[in-house]
């Protein structure tokens, strides 16, 4: 038999067929082999504890308990009958799967799926890996072994089985409170991207700095506050928190804040993600490049210019240390709030003819499209790594974008006065900007994401 992974009627519950290498002495098996099993579709769930349950006599039956962690169950000696009932909130609540377990069969049990085992022989030992530690005071759903809707065909009748008094007193399915799914956490929820992420992930919790007016607050620059957060309630961290004042970052106060928010916080979050088995999604910027290349690929060496750029580059490196991570690099973000497009539309309506630089090129990225791409990458379980995300279409300068906005507002394109970056910066204290911000989207497309054209998205945004 070769190693294989099979799906079941319960989403996420997987049966694993394990090769046994036998000879006259007995047998050997790889009870857990991360590289091979993950390649076949098993989640890389990051176990932190290995437990062994020994049962002396045939008929020992353990109750249907839905623990708040994932587990990987494998029998070492004897045989057992396993029964699983989905106790998670959702369409599959109450679904049941049964499998006979011996040393050649293992099962991956996702968080919230009730599991029970009945020994079929004497001297049964089974081990299980879990990705969280047991803690006193934790409560979780349990179900009666004789639940009629589950209709579990126990090989040994329950009245002949060895069952604890506690497990005999568990409730029927109609009285079970389903385990609520873990929800994404959006950091920087009051920003343009944060708002779009909350719309794309309606079950997410949005948090921002204290006093921001967000649903909840978390100071991501305070390690103690981050450590105290209830991370077990979440499965994904969407880090849209950022210090984006590019010019103010060149000042002493701005420099300190930029390093705290853009670099220190992602490092803290990467550690949290690994400790709690979460996926970290970190949003970055094309400013990590110096702009000398006309098109930037994901593997281009980082070459930040100013302080803001340097902190974003450091944040990229920090976020990428998380075992499960997506670093999503974007450019010229436009969302719900103050931004370049809104400013140009207001100036057009006010009859102003602005001076706009025409020697910095790139693509607009609309926050709603970035949030949609983020959701696709997560729901399709895209491999960890860096992905560049912007809207599609040819490179445009800021002056080109301004002209497009003016034309859509009923003004003449010629009302936008084109200037060079050097002309625009004369007499101002401005941080350096990359001249070319165009991001290559081939890796994103290979992951199944087709981004809308930037001008089509602009039409929809201004409609």
């Amino acid at each position: 038999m070769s190693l294989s992974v099979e799906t079941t009627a319960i989403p996420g519950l997987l049966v694993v067929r394990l090769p046994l290498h036998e000879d006259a002495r007995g047998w050997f098996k790889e009870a857990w082999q991360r590289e091979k099993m993950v390649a076949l579709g098993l989640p890389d769930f990051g176990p932190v504890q290995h437990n062994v349950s020994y049962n002396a006599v045939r008929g020992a039956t353990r109750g249907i308990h839905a623990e708040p962690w994932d587990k990987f169950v494998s029998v070492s000696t004897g045989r057992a009958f396993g029964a699983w009932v989905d106790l998670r909130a959702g369409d599959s609540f109450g679904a049941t799967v049964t499998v006979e377990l011996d040393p050649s069969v293992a099962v991956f049990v996702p968080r919230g799926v009730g599991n029970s085992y009945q020994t079929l022989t004497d001297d049964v030992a089974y081990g299980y890996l879990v990705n969280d530690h047991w803690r006193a005071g934790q409560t979780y759903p349990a179900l009666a072994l004789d639940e009629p809707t589950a209709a579990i065909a126990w090989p040994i009748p329950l009245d002949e089985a060895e069952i604890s008094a506690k497990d005999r007193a568990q409730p029927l399915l109609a009285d079970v409170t389903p385990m609520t799914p873990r929800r994404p956490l959006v950091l920087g929820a009051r920003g343009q991207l944060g708002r779009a992420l909350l719309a794309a992930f309606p079950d997410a919790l949005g948090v921002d700095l204290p006093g921001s007016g967000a649903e909840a607050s978390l100071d991501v620059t305070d390690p103690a506050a981050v450590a105290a957060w209830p991370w077990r309630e979440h499965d994904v961290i969407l880090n849209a928190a950022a210090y984006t004042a590019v010019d103010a970052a060149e000042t002493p106060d701005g420099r300190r804040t930029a390093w705290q928010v853009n670099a220190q916080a992602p490092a803290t979050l990467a550690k949290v993600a690994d400790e709690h088995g979460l996926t970290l999604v970190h949003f970055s910027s094309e400013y990590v490049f110096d702009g000398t290349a006309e098109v930037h690929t994901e593997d281009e060496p980082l070459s930040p210019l100013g302080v803001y750029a340097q902190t974003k580059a450091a944040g990229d490196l920090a976020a990428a240390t998380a075992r499960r991570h997506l670093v999503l690099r974007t450019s010229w973000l436009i969302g719900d709030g103050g931004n370049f497009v809104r400013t140009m539309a207001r100036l057009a309506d006010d009859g102003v003819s602005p001076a706009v630089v025409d020697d910095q090129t790139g693509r607009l990225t609309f926050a709603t499209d970035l949030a949609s791409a983020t959701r696709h990458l997560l729901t399709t379980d895209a491999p960890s790594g860096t992905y560049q995300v912007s809207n599609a279409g040819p490179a445009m300068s800021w002056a080109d974008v301004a002209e497009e906005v003016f034309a859509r507002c009923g003004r003449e394109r010629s009302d936008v006065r084109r200037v060079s970056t050097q002309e625009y910066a004369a007499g101002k204290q401005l941080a350096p900007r990359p001249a070319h911000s165009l991001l290559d989207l081939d890796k994103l497309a290979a992951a199944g994401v087709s981004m809308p054209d930037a001008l089509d998205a602009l039409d929809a945004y201004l409609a």
Side-chain angles (χ1 to χ4, degrees), residues 392-407:
M396 302 176 68
S397 70
W398 286 114
D400 293 332
V401 174
E403 288 185 1
E404 295 293 341
V405 174
F406 265 55

PDB file of all heavy atoms in Angstrom, residues 392-407:
ATOM      1  N   ALA A 392      -5.019  45.501 -13.433  1.00  0.00           N
ATOM      2  CA  ALA A 392      -4.318  45.201 -14.677  1.00  0.00           C
ATOM      3  C   ALA A 392      -4.330  46.416 -15.600  1.00  0.00           C
ATOM      4  O   ALA A 392      -4.913  47.453 -15.304  1.00  0.00           O
ATOM      5  CB  ALA A 392      -4.971  43.998 -15.355  1.00  0.00           C
ATOM      6  N   GLY A 393      -3.672  46.264 -16.755  1.00  0.00           N
ATOM      7  CA  GLY A 393      -3.621  47.340 -17.738  1.00  0.00           C
ATOM      8  C   GLY A 393      -2.229  47.891 -17.893  1.00  0.00           C
ATOM      9  O   GLY A 393      -1.305  47.506 -17.184  1.00  0.00           O
ATOM     10  N   PRO A 394      -2.047  48.821 -18.827  1.00  0.00           N
ATOM     11  CA  PRO A 394      -0.714  49.390 -19.074  1.00  0.00           C
ATOM     12  C   PRO A 394      -0.274  50.306 -17.945  1.00  0.00           C
ATOM     13  O   PRO A 394      -1.086  50.776 -17.146  1.00  0.00           O
ATOM     14  CB  PRO A 394      -0.913  50.173 -20.372  1.00  0.00           C
ATOM     15  CG  PRO A 394      -2.361  50.555 -20.347  1.00  0.00           C
ATOM     16  CD  PRO A 394      -3.071  49.404 -19.718  1.00  0.00           C
ATOM     17  N   ALA A 395       1.021  50.556 -17.901  1.00  0.00           N
ATOM     18  CA  ALA A 395       1.554  51.513 -16.935  1.00  0.00           C
ATOM     19  C   ALA A 395       1.044  52.909 -17.258  1.00  0.00           C
ATOM     20  O   ALA A 395       0.894  53.281 -18.431  1.00  0.00           O
ATOM     21  CB  ALA A 395       3.080  51.494 -16.964  1.00  0.00           C
ATOM     22  N   MET A 396       0.756  53.678 -16.216  1.00  0.00           N
ATOM     23  CA  MET A 396       0.303  55.060 -16.367  1.00  0.00           C
ATOM     24  C   MET A 396       1.094  55.928 -15.406  1.00  0.00           C
ATOM     25  O   MET A 396       1.582  55.452 -14.372  1.00  0.00           O
ATOM     26  CB  MET A 396      -1.197  55.176 -16.048  1.00  0.00           C
ATOM     27  CG  MET A 396      -2.097  54.304 -16.915  1.00  0.00           C
ATOM     28  SD  MET A 396      -3.832  54.406 -16.404  1.00  0.00           S
ATOM     29  CE  MET A 396      -4.192  56.112 -16.865  1.00  0.00           C
ATOM     30  N   SER A 397       1.220  57.189 -15.745  1.00  0.00           N
ATOM     31  CA  SER A 397       1.817  58.133 -14.802  1.00  0.00           C
ATOM     32  C   SER A 397       0.721  58.722 -13.930  1.00  0.00           C
ATOM     33  O   SER A 397      -0.476  58.598 -14.226  1.00  0.00           O
ATOM     34  CB  SER A 397       2.549  59.246 -15.561  1.00  0.00           C
ATOM     35  OG  SER A 397       1.604  60.091 -16.217  1.00  0.00           O
ATOM     36  N   TRP A 398       1.124  59.390 -12.854  1.00  0.00           N
ATOM     37  CA  TRP A 398       0.131  60.083 -12.018  1.00  0.00           C
ATOM     38  C   TRP A 398      -0.620  61.123 -12.843  1.00  0.00           C
ATOM     39  O   TRP A 398      -1.829  61.320 -12.666  1.00  0.00           O
ATOM     40  CB  TRP A 398       0.805  60.738 -10.825  1.00  0.00           C
ATOM     41  CG  TRP A 398       1.245  59.782  -9.752  1.00  0.00           C
ATOM     42  CD1 TRP A 398       2.516  59.507  -9.373  1.00  0.00           C
ATOM     43  CD2 TRP A 398       0.396  58.973  -8.925  1.00  0.00           C
ATOM     44  NE1 TRP A 398       2.537  58.583  -8.358  1.00  0.00           N
ATOM     45  CE2 TRP A 398       1.237  58.240  -8.060  1.00  0.00           C
ATOM     46  CE3 TRP A 398      -0.982  58.794  -8.835  1.00  0.00           C
ATOM     47  CZ2 TRP A 398       0.738  57.353  -7.109  1.00  0.00           C
ATOM     48  CZ3 TRP A 398      -1.487  57.915  -7.883  1.00  0.00           C
ATOM     49  CH2 TRP A 398      -0.627  57.206  -7.038  1.00  0.00           C
ATOM     50  N   ALA A 399       0.060  61.759 -13.759  1.00  0.00           N
ATOM     51  CA  ALA A 399      -0.612  62.747 -14.612  1.00  0.00           C
ATOM     52  C   ALA A 399      -1.630  62.057 -15.524  1.00  0.00           C
ATOM     53  O   ALA A 399      -2.724  62.597 -15.764  1.00  0.00           O
ATOM     54  CB  ALA A 399       0.420  63.514 -15.443  1.00  0.00           C
ATOM     55  N   ASP A 400      -1.284  60.873 -16.038  1.00  0.00           N
ATOM     56  CA  ASP A 400      -2.244  60.118 -16.850  1.00  0.00           C
ATOM     57  C   ASP A 400      -3.507  59.814 -16.052  1.00  0.00           C
ATOM     58  O   ASP A 400      -4.632  59.948 -16.549  1.00  0.00           O
ATOM     59  CB  ASP A 400      -1.628  58.801 -17.328  1.00  0.00           C
ATOM     60  CG  ASP A 400      -0.490  58.985 -18.316  1.00  0.00           C
ATOM     61  OD1 ASP A 400      -0.494  60.007 -19.041  1.00  0.00           O
ATOM     62  OD2 ASP A 400       0.390  58.111 -18.361  1.00  0.00           O
ATOM     63  N   VAL A 401      -3.314  59.370 -14.804  1.00  0.00           N
ATOM     64  CA  VAL A 401      -4.461  59.051 -13.958  1.00  0.00           C
ATOM     65  C   VAL A 401      -5.295  60.301 -13.713  1.00  0.00           C
ATOM     66  O   VAL A 401      -6.535  60.275 -13.791  1.00  0.00           O
ATOM     67  CB  VAL A 401      -4.000  58.441 -12.621  1.00  0.00           C
ATOM     68  CG1 VAL A 401      -5.190  58.243 -11.682  1.00  0.00           C
ATOM     69  CG2 VAL A 401      -3.277  57.118 -12.857  1.00  0.00           C
ATOM     70  N   ALA A 402      -4.633  61.407 -13.427  1.00  0.00           N
ATOM     71  CA  ALA A 402      -5.358  62.656 -13.179  1.00  0.00           C
ATOM     72  C   ALA A 402      -6.185  63.056 -14.405  1.00  0.00           C
ATOM     73  O   ALA A 402      -7.345  63.483 -14.278  1.00  0.00           O
ATOM     74  CB  ALA A 402      -4.371  63.763 -12.813  1.00  0.00           C
ATOM     75  N   GLU A 403      -5.602  62.894 -15.586  1.00  0.00           N
ATOM     76  CA  GLU A 403      -6.346  63.229 -16.803  1.00  0.00           C
ATOM     77  C   GLU A 403      -7.574  62.333 -16.971  1.00  0.00           C
ATOM     78  O   GLU A 403      -8.642  62.802 -17.377  1.00  0.00           O
ATOM     79  CB  GLU A 403      -5.434  63.106 -18.027  1.00  0.00           C
ATOM     80  CG  GLU A 403      -4.396  64.209 -18.127  1.00  0.00           C
ATOM     81  CD  GLU A 403      -3.594  64.120 -19.418  1.00  0.00           C
ATOM     82  OE1 GLU A 403      -3.871  63.204 -20.226  1.00  0.00           O
ATOM     83  OE2 GLU A 403      -2.705  64.970 -19.629  1.00  0.00           O
ATOM     84  N   GLU A 404      -7.429  61.052 -16.660  1.00  0.00           N
ATOM     85  CA  GLU A 404      -8.563  60.137 -16.759  1.00  0.00           C
ATOM     86  C   GLU A 404      -9.674  60.548 -15.792  1.00  0.00           C
ATOM     87  O   GLU A 404     -10.871  60.501 -16.129  1.00  0.00           O
ATOM     88  CB  GLU A 404      -8.125  58.694 -16.480  1.00  0.00           C
ATOM     89  CG  GLU A 404      -7.158  58.107 -17.487  1.00  0.00           C
ATOM     90  CD  GLU A 404      -7.787  57.909 -18.868  1.00  0.00           C
ATOM     91  OE1 GLU A 404      -9.040  57.873 -18.971  1.00  0.00           O
ATOM     92  OE2 GLU A 404      -7.023  57.791 -19.851  1.00  0.00           O
ATOM     93  N   VAL A 405      -9.284  60.960 -14.604  1.00  0.00           N
ATOM     94  CA  VAL A 405     -10.286  61.393 -13.624  1.00  0.00           C
ATOM     95  C   VAL A 405     -10.957  62.678 -14.105  1.00  0.00           C
ATOM     96  O   VAL A 405     -12.195  62.813 -14.051  1.00  0.00           O
ATOM     97  CB  VAL A 405      -9.636  61.606 -12.243  1.00  0.00           C
ATOM     98  CG1 VAL A 405     -10.652  62.203 -11.263  1.00  0.00           C
ATOM     99  CG2 VAL A 405      -9.088  60.287 -11.696  1.00  0.00           C
ATOM    100  N   PHE A 406     -10.162  63.630 -14.580  1.00  0.00           N
ATOM    101  CA  PHE A 406     -10.729  64.894 -15.065  1.00  0.00           C
ATOM    102  C   PHE A 406     -11.713  64.630 -16.209  1.00  0.00           C
ATOM    103  O   PHE A 406     -12.800  65.228 -16.253  1.00  0.00           O
ATOM    104  CB  PHE A 406      -9.601  65.832 -15.513  1.00  0.00           C
ATOM    105  CG  PHE A 406      -9.173  66.797 -14.448  1.00  0.00           C
ATOM    106  CD1 PHE A 406      -8.774  66.334 -13.199  1.00  0.00           C
ATOM    107  CD2 PHE A 406      -9.184  68.163 -14.663  1.00  0.00           C
ATOM    108  CE1 PHE A 406      -8.382  67.212 -12.205  1.00  0.00           C
ATOM    109  CE2 PHE A 406      -8.799  69.059 -13.680  1.00  0.00           C
ATOM    110  CZ  PHE A 406      -8.394  68.576 -12.443  1.00  0.00           C
ATOM    111  N   ALA A 407     -11.328  63.760 -17.150  1.00  0.00           N
ATOM    112  CA  ALA A 407     -12.214  63.479 -18.287  1.00  0.00           C
ATOM    113  C   ALA A 407     -13.542  62.896 -17.807  1.00  0.00           C
ATOM    114  O   ALA A 407     -14.609  63.235 -18.350  1.00  0.00           O
ATOM    115  CB  ALA A 407     -11.525  62.511 -19.250  1.00  0.00           C
TER     116      ALA A 407
END
